[in-house]
Every structure is written in structure tokens, then in C-alpha cells.
């Protein structure tokens, strides 16, 4: 979940808390309910079931997937899991991706990891940019192919009309003309041998976007919308500033959260210090209104607040593409 993206200015150091032995600290926070993961998983499962149904076979893109445990908890609620046709997890942490490869996801039986479970070690903006460039290249190739076919049909039609105009010539000339080779159609473009994958039904981005600068968050939303199929949704779970709250004021609230409120009974003092060292340097949260504005700028049709955690620290938004 949290380690896929690192801002270009920050570098890969921003994922340090979520790699190696330090990942245990993050897992303890999840189990202790710091960000309402369990409740959020139930809410998102219900939302996806209502919108898509349990048996659709969703195409899921998980940005900052971490060990994919959050995606698995969303999908595997109840007696009947939400079915997937494909899962793509993107993260900067190779350690996390190794764990994600073992996560029990409701993928088609017999397909295997290589075909239906794709794990990509890359920052999420880089992945989305590459996906969109691939789609654009595929569309351009298809247009060239169509244009080439139309040009070929035009030349064939011209040659047919020319033959009809000379239909009154002698039979000997007609026979000689019929024996000549037909005109060849103009060369046409060939579609790429390995086109990019289909658009996604759901893009999940959980506790990742707050590492990005404001303009990068805007790019994230724009690229995510392009990667969605019509009727698809971006599920954004993240930390938020309150309306009118500065980053400094947010940091003071976060410090109280980890050391005096949320951290009590779940993190040892040295573990809380590790978390704070990460949060104080790499966290740049936005307000809900900021995200609503960016979602509108990106072209999303609707933005709905699904959940606010009891400490007003984490929120979950659903952004829909019509």
C-alpha cells in the first residue's frame, strides 16, 4: 500500500519505513487499526459488490500495493470473494512485491501468476505514464491501419473503374488485361505485437498519494482516470489535512496521534520515533476540497466521501468515471 511512489524530489528513501524489518512496524499499525483498514475493507467490498456484482471478474490496478494484503482483505470479505480477472500491483519495494506474489487473491483458477497476477517494481506515476503512452501508441497504430486499408480500397476502386472504361476494347485486349497481375494495395501499418493491457475497472491507491507533491497528485488523478474503463472508479484512501489546516498544524496533530493517542499500546517508543521520522519528512497531505478540485480537473464525473476515521486523520474517497 504505502510504498509505491516516492515523489521525484524525494527519491526512493520515502519507502524506507515499508521495507525490510521496518515493514513490521507498518503491519503493527494496520493490525492496531491506525487507519481503519478493516472497516474500510468492508465498506469498499460492499461498494464494489453493489456497483459491479461479485462475479464480474474485475480488472484491478493496485498503486502502492505493498504486500497486497489490503487488496486481499477488500476482495475476500464474506463467504464469496469478489472475483478478479486480473490483478496488477505496482510498488517500489521488491520485498513487498515478493510478499504480494503469495497473497491469496480471487484470480481465475489455472491462469497462474504470469497471466492474471502482474507485479511491477516501479513508481506509480511512471507506471501510469507508460500505460497511457502505450495506449496512445496502440490507438495511433490502429488509425494508421484503418487509413492504410481505406487507401488500399480507394486504389482498388480506381483500378476497377479504369477497367470498366476500357470494356469496349477488343476481346483480345480484354483477355490480355485479365492475365496481367492485379494492382497491389498500398502498404498498411501493423498494430504493435504486444499492445498494452485493457483499461481497469478499479484503481486502488491506499496511503500512497500523500508522498507526492501537489502537481504530482494532479497528474496521478489524470493518468488514473485515463486508465479506467467507463464506469470504473478510483478508490483513494489517504491521510488528509483538515480544511484550512496548514502542514505544520497537521504535523502537530499527527505527532499527537502517534505518540499520545493512536500509538499508545501498539507501538514501542522507538517504533513511534521511526514512524515520526518518516511522516515528518515525506508526508504532504491535501484537504478533501483540494482532492475534489483535482478530481474535477482530471475529468472525474463524481467524487464521493465514503469514510472518515474516528480521529479525522484518514479518509476514503471514490472517484467515478462515467
Amino acid at each position: 500500500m504505502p510504498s509505491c511512489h516516492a515523489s521525484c524530489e524525494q527519491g526512493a528513501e520515502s519507502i524506507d519505513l515499508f521495507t525490510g524489518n521496518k515493514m513490521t512496524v507498518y503491519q503493527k499499525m494496520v493490525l492496531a487499526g491506525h487507519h481503519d483498514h478493516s472497516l474500510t475493507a468492508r465498506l469498499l467490498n460492499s461498494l464494489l459488490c453493489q456497483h459491479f456484482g461479485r462475479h464480474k471478474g474485475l480488472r484491478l490496478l493496485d498503486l502502492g500495493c505493498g504486500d497486497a494484503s489490503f487488496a486481499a482483505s477488500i476482495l475476500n470479505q464474506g463467504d464469496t470473494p469478489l472475483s478478479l480477472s486480473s490483478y496488477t500491483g505496482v510498488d517500489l519495494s521488491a520485498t513487498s512485491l515478493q510478499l504480494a506474489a503469495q497473497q491469496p487473491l480471487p484470480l481465475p483458477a489455472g491462469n497462474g501468476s504470469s497471466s492474471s497476477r502482474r507485479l511491477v517494481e516501479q513508481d506509480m506515476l511512471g507506471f501510469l505514464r507508460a500505460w497511457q503512452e502505450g495506449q496512445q501508441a496502440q490507438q495511433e497504430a490502429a488509425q494508421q491501419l484503418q487509413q492504410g486499408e481505406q487507401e488500399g480500397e480507394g486504389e482498388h476502386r480506381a483500378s476497377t473503374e479504369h477497367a470498366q472504361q476500357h470494356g469496349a476494347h477488343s476481346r483480345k485486349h480484354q483477355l490480355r488485361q485479365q492475365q496481367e497481375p492485379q494492382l497491389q494495395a498500398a502498404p498498411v501499418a501493423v498494430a504493435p505485437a504486444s499492445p498494452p493491457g485493457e483499461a481497469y475497472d478499479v484503481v486502488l491507491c491506499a496511503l500512497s498519494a500523500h508522498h507526492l507533491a501537489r502537481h504530482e497528485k494532479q497528474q496521478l488523478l489524470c493518468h488514473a482516470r485515463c486508465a479506467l474503463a467507463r464506469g470504473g472508479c478510483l478508490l483513494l484512501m489517504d491521510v488528509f489535512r483538515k480544511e484550512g489546516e496548514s502542514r505544520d498544524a497537521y504535523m502537530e496533530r499527527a505527532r499527537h496521534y502517534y505518540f499520545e493517542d493512536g500509538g499508545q499500546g501498539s507501538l514501542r517508543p522507538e517504533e513511534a520515533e521511526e514512524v515520526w521520522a518518516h511522516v515528518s519528512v515525506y508526508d504532504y497531505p491535501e484537504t478533501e476540497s483540494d482532492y475534489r478540485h483535482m478530481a474535477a480537473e482530471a475529468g472525474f464525473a463524481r467524487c464521493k466521501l465514503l469514510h472518515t476515521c474516528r480521529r479525522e486523520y484518514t479518509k476514503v474517497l471514490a472517484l467515478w468515471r462515467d
Side-chain angles (χ1 to χ4, degrees):
M1 292 169 282
S3 51
C4 85
H5 54 282
S7 170
C8 297
E9 291 82 2
Q10 294 170 353
E13 291 83 0
S14 67
I15 71 168
D16 184 58
L17 180 65
F18 312 105
T19 58
N21 293 332
K22 290 185 178 181
M23 191 173 181
T24 304
V25 176
Y26 180 76
Q27 291 169 337
K28 287 179 66 174
M29 292 168 59
V30 172
L31 293 174
H34 277 251
H35 299 288
D36 285 357
H37 279 82
S38 295
L39 175 58
T40 300
R42 293 195 296 272
L43 290 172
L44 294 183
N45 178 278
S46 177
L47 174 74
L48 295 177
C49 285
Q50 291 175 12
H51 188 74
F52 295 106
R54 285 198 174 274
H55 306 291
K56 172 180 170 57
L58 296 173
R59 298 163 295 181
L60 173 61
L61 171 61
D62 191 356
L63 298 173
C65 65
D67 62 3
S69 59
F70 187 51
S73 66
I74 294 171
L75 298 165
N76 292 322
Q77 295 285 325
D79 296 331
T80 305
L82 273 164
S83 65
L84 293 179
S85 64
S86 68
Y87 172 85
T88 302
V90 181
D91 204 284
L92 276 175
S93 169
T95 301
S96 296
L97 292 176
Q98 291 173 0
L99 296 173
Q102 307 302 319
Q103 203 63 241
L105 299 173
L107 291 163
N111 274 2
S113 300
S114 61
S115 58
S116 59
R117 185 192 309 238
R118 183 185 179 205
L119 301 174
V120 183
E121 186 178 350
Q122 189 176 13
D123 71 278
M124 61 186 181
L125 273 179
F127 175 87
L128 288 171
R129 290 190 189 107
W131 187 94
Q132 189 168 1
E133 290 169 0
Q135 287 290 312
Q136 291 172 347
Q138 187 179 27
Q139 291 172 3
E140 291 172 1
Q143 291 173 356
Q144 292 174 7
L145 178 62
Q146 183 179 14
Q147 181 179 359
E149 290 174 345
Q150 291 173 348
E151 290 174 354
E153 290 175 358
E155 292 198 10
H156 177 70
R157 189 181 305 111
S159 66
T160 301
E161 292 174 353
H162 179 76
Q164 290 174 348
Q165 291 172 0
H166 292 78
H169 285 197
S170 66
R171 182 173 180 80
K172 180 178 179 181
H173 178 74
Q174 291 177 358
L175 291 173
R176 185 170 64 250
Q177 188 177 20
Q178 291 172 1
Q179 292 170 357
E180 291 177 355
Q182 295 181 352
L183 291 173
Q184 296 296 316
V188 297
V190 178
S194 299
E198 294 180 297
Y200 299 96
D201 300 303
V202 179
V203 175
L204 174 65
C205 184
L207 295 175
S208 297
H210 62 273
H211 290 171
L212 300 177
R214 170 64 181 262
H215 71 280
E216 291 174 319
K217 295 186 184 81
Q218 182 68 73
Q219 293 174 20
L220 172 70
L221 266 59
C222 289
H223 290 310
R225 181 192 173 278
C226 290
L228 283 169
R230 290 192 175 277
C233 66
L234 166 63
L235 301 176
L236 179 70
M237 175 184 181
D238 218 327
V239 294
F240 282 73
R241 288 186 288 113
K242 294 180 179 180
E243 299 298 329
E245 185 179 47
S246 67
R247 183 175 183 268
D248 288 342
Y250 165 84
M251 285 298 165
E252 182 61 31
R253 184 161 60 95
R255 185 174 182 84
H256 182 274
Y257 174 78
Y258 285 112
F259 286 96
E260 300 179 28
D261 187 5
Q264 288 185 337
S266 60
L267 298 178
R268 299 194 304 271
E270 62 271 22
E271 292 173 334
E273 288 290 352
E274 287 182 359
V275 173
W276 179 247
H278 170 89
V279 168
S280 61
V281 175
Y282 298 116
D283 284 19
Y284 288 85
E286 309 294 340
T287 66
E288 181 184 336
S289 61
D290 288 333
Y291 266 110
R292 289 185 177 277
H293 176 75
M294 288 189 287
E297 287 290 313
F300 282 97
R302 304 187 306 281
C303 178
K304 181 179 180 181
L305 175 65
L306 299 178
H307 177 62
T308 301
C309 78
R310 57 187 178 277
R311 301 179 183 91
E312 296 186 65
Y313 187 64
T314 307
K315 293 185 178 184
V316 184
L317 300 177
L319 285 62
W320 295 94
R321 174 176 183 174
D322 279 348

